Amino acid sequence: MKSRALLLSFLFLISCAYFNTLYNGWEAYDTAYEQEQKLLSEGHDSARVTSRTAEQYERAVEKADKVFAQFPRSERFHPNAYFLRGIAAYRLGQYRMSLNSFQSLQAEFPQSSYIPESWLYLGRAYHAMGEYSLARNTYEYVLNSFPDLNENNRVTLLLAEVSAETDGRGGAVEFLITAYESAEEVGQKVYLIERISEYYYDLDLYDDALTWIARLPEFDDSYRSVFYLCDLRRIQILLAQQEYDHAAEKISQGLDRREYLEYRNELTYYRARVLLAQGEKNRAYRLFEEITYRSAADHIMASSWYTMATISLEVRGDLEQGRTELEEARSYAEGEMLQRIRRRLRGLTSVKEFRTAMEEERSENVSLDRYRVGEHFWLDVELPHKALAEFKYLLSDEDLSDSLRVKTLYSKAMLYRQVEADTLRSDSLFQSLIEEYPSSQAAQEAQNIMHQEVTVVTRRDSAAQRFRRSERLAERHDEYSEEVYYHYIITAMQYEDIPDIAAKALYAAGREASRRPTRRDDRLDTVVVQVYSRLCDSYPDSPQCAAVRPALETGAARGYLREYEERVAKEEEYATDPLAEEELPADEEPGEPTIPDFSDWF
């Protein structure tokens, strides 16, 4: 009896250990899931939600793994642990682990009560991984085998999402319409109407979207969120169609509905959008500001702060206030908006730095810094009118260098063309550019933009033609040619301001010099080293330098270059000393052809 009692006690303790481990795992999962749903309902972005819930989901995975590690032979709680690990891994975005967990559950415990849900999550994991064919097959299996899981059309809507990915929005609409025609329950139809109208809206088929919204039954508080989404879509369509008064009327009706109290911030946001579209920027600003005082969804907070920043920058000309509001927007934004905010902030920082340097007389080239200010206003801060003001000021300077005048004329012309849509002014500036600087690359680009016959021959064109002549000359010689060598060298000298051409020419010259018949395999070819050294000194970032750098870093090459530099320095010293009588030591490398040292030619 005593032994039996001890055995029962031991088994009870084992069961308790199982239970406690899994209980703690599920408690962590439930805590994370509830927090996730709350944050998502408040409109927080997915990245913010994941960062706040990841720790609890990871704890759930850890507890599930602990069951397998501590009790590998006891399978009573293994189905529970597999399912817990699978759904927690799915929430963490660890889809491969999620798949493995659900597949193990289905293979080892096919009679488990977790099997139906495991198939649904298996499809969602495939879906998230972009395995759309597998996701579609899995969802269809769920619909046929476990139809009870299609409550509120959740499996049908997931299938529609797969169709949208594989067949486009049009394919998804066809699928949903078929599902709608076979739906019997009111709830199913309401969800399908909302999703069909969403896809039509995304396709810019506004009349079709409104036709489907009109099919909604009388308001039912059980589907409040779906009815609200359809009403909101009406407002969005009216905004897209520029029917601002009608949109404002619909917004007022929504704000007056007690059932939509929880959506007040979003409706206020759209009221501000309407005012902005009507040109009431200051009134819109005050409404956006009102929204930021509340706790609204992340995308609404981001857009509100961003729009306020745009008004501060563009309308009020307050760069500091605009910067502050962009920084606030950055804390809520994600995706493309976040990238745009970061770019505008970087631009504002650069503008401030250049302006401060000019004001404090620390600028080495005031004109160049002013051009950079204009460029940042245009390309980063998105304030084209301020960029135009900077460019106009620059062009009024009679002492402006030709290179900077070319860049400024070209930039101003592009601004008028791309941002202001003023092709007349743009073409006038381009024509001035062609007439004043006919050999510039910018003049050639101007002819292309205006669809004129390209008559401008730029310095780059000349450099490319010269290099091609060098190559054609090299093709006619199977062995080393001094003429080819010098042709490449002179090309590099004449067009040292065209880095890619000059680098290629020096590389080719070194390659040609390495073919000389006097070169011995056991001796360092000093001319080749000189050429490649010049290549890397002048164009260190070129691919040609990257190709020859290993050869220059050998001990023999470094030693020769050091001696060569010392000899050049001594020659210069001797040339400037009128009392010098000693002769320089003779070249100690007999047998090499006399090739002029071209280092001074550059």
Side-chain angles (χ1 to χ4, degrees):
M1 291 293 293
K2 187 175 182 180
S3 299
R4 182 178 294 178
L6 288 171
L7 178 61
L8 289 173
S9 298
F10 177 74
L11 292 174
F12 176 75
L13 289 173
I14 291 292
S15 296
C16 286
Y18 266 123
F19 179 79
N20 285 337
T21 302
L22 281 172
Y23 175 82
N24 291 334
W26 277 106
E27 185 177 43
Y29 177 86
D30 290 340
T31 300
Y33 183 75
E34 288 173 10
Q35 186 180 15
E36 180 182 279
Q37 296 308 302
K38 182 176 183 295
L39 290 170
L40 289 173
S41 69
E42 293 173 354
H44 294 287
D45 64 73
S46 55
R48 189 186 301 271
V49 171
T50 301
S51 67
R52 295 187 187 181
T53 58
E55 184 177 349
Q56 290 299 319
Y57 282 135
E58 288 168 356
R59 178 174 169 79
V61 171
E62 178 190 337
K63 293 299 180 183
D65 286 338
K66 191 173 181 179
V67 170
F68 298 113
Q70 293 187 346
F71 312 104
R73 296 183 181 179
S74 188
E75 299 181 348
R76 179 182 173 188
F77 293 103
H78 282 193
N80 193 318
Y82 273 131
F83 187 72
L84 173 61
R85 183 171 66 178
I87 59 175
Y90 173 80
R91 298 292 175 190
L92 285 167
Q94 297 177 10
Y95 303 121
R96 184 59 60 187
M97 180 195 295
S98 180
L99 287 175
N100 292 338
S101 298
F102 294 133
Q103 289 167 343
S104 296
L105 169 63
Q106 292 160 6
E108 296 177 29
F109 306 98
Q111 303 304 316
S112 169
S113 60
Y114 292 109
I115 290 298
E117 283 281 348
S118 76
W119 278 102
L120 180 58
Y121 273 100
L122 191 71
R124 294 177 74 174
Y126 281 133
H127 194 163
M129 293 170 68
E131 299 283 355
Y132 300 123
S133 179
L134 290 172
R136 187 197 302 275
N137 293 340
T138 306
Y139 290 149
E140 289 175 349
Y141 175 77
V142 171
L143 273 179
N144 294 327
S145 303
F146 315 109
D148 290 345
L149 290 180
N150 197 33
E151 183 183 6
N152 293 332
N153 288 294
R154 65 170 175 163
V155 182
T156 301
L157 295 177
L158 287 170
L159 270 168
E161 290 177 15
V162 171
S163 293
E165 296 288 351
T166 57
D167 308 322
R169 293 284 196 272
V173 166
E174 291 178 10
F175 176 84
L176 289 172
I177 289 175
T178 302
Y180 176 84
E181 290 170 350
S182 62
E184 297 179 356
E185 298 180 7
V186 173
Q188 290 182 327
K189 291 186 175 183
V190 167
Y191 280 100
L192 289 168
I193 287 170
E194 188 278 323
R195 192 57 58 89
I196 291 169
S197 71
E198 177 189 357
Y199 284 137
Y200 273 133
Y201 174 76
D202 291 342
L203 290 165
D204 296 336
L205 298 173
Y206 301 137
D207 291 340
D208 290 321
L210 291 172
T211 298
W212 275 92
I213 291 173
R215 297 190 182 193
L216 282 172
E218 290 295 319
F219 181 83
D220 185 339
D221 200 55
S222 303
Y223 308 106
R224 179 193 308 174
S225 62
V226 183
F227 277 88
Y228 169 72
L229 286 174
C230 289
D231 282 342
L232 181 63
R233 194 148 296 123
R234 282 194 185 98
I235 293 167
Q236 292 169 331
I237 290 171
L238 291 169
L239 267 171
Q241 295 175 332
Q242 298 183 8
E243 296 185 27
Y244 303 129
D245 292 339
H246 195 182
E249 180 185 343
K250 289 292 182 183
I251 292 168
S252 296
Q253 290 172 3
L255 287 168
D256 290 340
R257 293 194 69 159
R258 186 180 59 186
E259 297 90 346
Y260 289 170
L261 187 61
E262 61 187 293
Y263 307 115
R264 184 173 185 82
N265 283 338
E266 189 166 27
L267 290 168
T268 303
Y269 168 79
Y270 277 97
R271 172 177 275 179
R273 288 274 305 276
V274 168
L275 288 172
L276 195 64
Q278 292 175 323
E280 298 280 352
K281 295 183 179 179
N282 286 325
R283 288 182 62 196
Y285 183 96
R286 288 194 292 272
L287 276 183
F288 286 125
E289 189 175 32
E290 180 184 323
I291 292 168
T292 62
Y293 292 147
R294 309 170 186 168
S295 179
D298 281 0
H299 71 279
I300 292 177
M301 292 292 280
S303 185
S304 297
W305 279 114
Y306 185 82
T307 310
M308 288 166 64
T310 300
I311 293 171
S312 293
L313 293 169
E314 294 182 2
V315 180
R316 302 177 177 179
D318 192 335
L319 300 188
E320 286 304 315
Q321 181 66 19
R323 177 201 298 277
T324 300
E325 288 160 349
L326 283 173
E327 287 170 348
E328 290 287 351
R330 181 175 57 183
S331 63
Y332 295 99
E334 61 179 344
E336 291 183 10
M337 175 177 275
L338 179 58
Q339 297 305 315
R340 190 174 184 181
I341 290 169
R342 286 172 174 167
R343 186 180 69 249
R344 295 187 82 176
L345 283 170
R346 285 195 300 270
L348 284 169
T349 299
S350 297
V351 165
K352 185 174 183 179
E353 289 173 353
F354 284 124
R355 282 184 162 179
T356 301
M358 289 188 288
E359 289 169 4
E360 296 177 358
E361 298 183 353
R362 290 186 288 104
S363 176
E364 295 180 2
N365 188 330
V366 173
S367 295
L368 180 59
D369 284 352
R370 186 175 292 280
Y371 174 80
R372 288 169 175 162
V373 167
E375 207 169 37
H376 283 299
F377 272 136
W378 172 22
L379 301 175
D380 297 329
V381 188
E382 300 177 25
L383 294 178
H385 61 286
K386 285 191 174 294
L388 283 172
E390 297 292 340
F391 294 152
K392 183 178 179 181
Y393 183 90
L394 271 175
L395 292 172
S396 67
D397 182 2
E398 294 181 357
D399 296 326
L400 189 66
S401 68
D402 284 344
S403 61
L404 200 51
R405 186 175 294 277
V406 167
K407 290 176 69 174
T408 307
L409 273 170
Y410 183 83
S411 297
K412 188 176 180 182
M414 288 300 293
L415 250 174
Y416 276 125
R417 200 174 203 88
Q418 293 180 347
V419 182
E420 303 293 324
D422 189 340
T423 55
L424 287 176
R425 286 193 181 184
S426 175
D427 287 351
S428 175
L429 287 166
F430 278 143
Q431 200 58 46
S432 297
L433 186 59
I434 294 167
E435 292 170 1
E436 294 177 35
Y437 304 98
S439 63
S440 67
Q441 183 72 32
Q444 190 179 77
E445 287 295 324
Q447 288 187 321
N448 276 317
I449 291 168
M450 293 192 296
H451 304 293
Q452 294 181 358
E453 180 185 355
V454 177
T455 59
V456 171
V457 178
T458 67
R459 183 166 171 75
R460 168 173 288 282
D461 294 334
S462 300
Q465 290 171 5
R466 167 79 192 193
F467 183 75
R468 283 195 294 271
R469 286 199 298 272
S470 299
E471 288 184 310
R472 286 196 295 272
L473 182 63
E475 289 170 1
R476 296 200 295 268
H477 295 81
D478 295 329
E479 298 178 350
Y480 168 73
S481 165
E482 192 172 68
E483 181 185 6
V484 171
Y485 170 79
Y486 280 116
H487 209 283
Y488 280 125
I489 289 294
I490 293 170
T491 299
M493 289 164 41
Q494 285 183 339
Y495 298 103
E496 62 180 353
D497 56 320
I498 313 292
D500 56 325
I501 301 293
K504 287 195 297 184
L506 285 173
Y507 179 79
R511 184 182 59 202
E512 184 67 22
S514 69
R515 300 168 62 191
R516 290 180 299 150
T518 55
R519 181 180 180 277
R520 284 168 40 187
D521 292 337
D522 61 340
R523 296 186 63 182
L524 182 70
D525 193 320
T526 57
V527 172
V528 175
V529 173
Q530 286 185 44
V531 175
Y532 286 161
S533 175
R534 172 63 62 180
L535 165 62
C536 286
D537 286 347
S538 302
Y539 312 104
D541 297 327
S542 66
Q544 290 77 20
C545 175
V548 305
R549 196 179 293 281
L552 291 177
E553 291 177 350
T554 62
R558 286 203 301 268
Y560 169 74
L561 285 172
R562 187 166 51 251
E563 292 173 6
Y564 173 73
E565 289 168 0
E566 290 172 357
R567 187 168 73 245
V568 169
K570 192 167 185 179
E571 288 173 351
E572 292 175 351
E573 180 183 353
Y574 181 82
T576 57
D577 184 358
L579 302 178
E581 295 180 356
E582 286 189 33
E583 293 185 1
L584 291 173
D587 193 328
E588 296 180 358
E589 296 204 23
E592 292 188 350
T594 304
I595 296 179
D597 179 4
F598 59 89
S599 60
D600 291 336
W601 297 4
F602 288 85

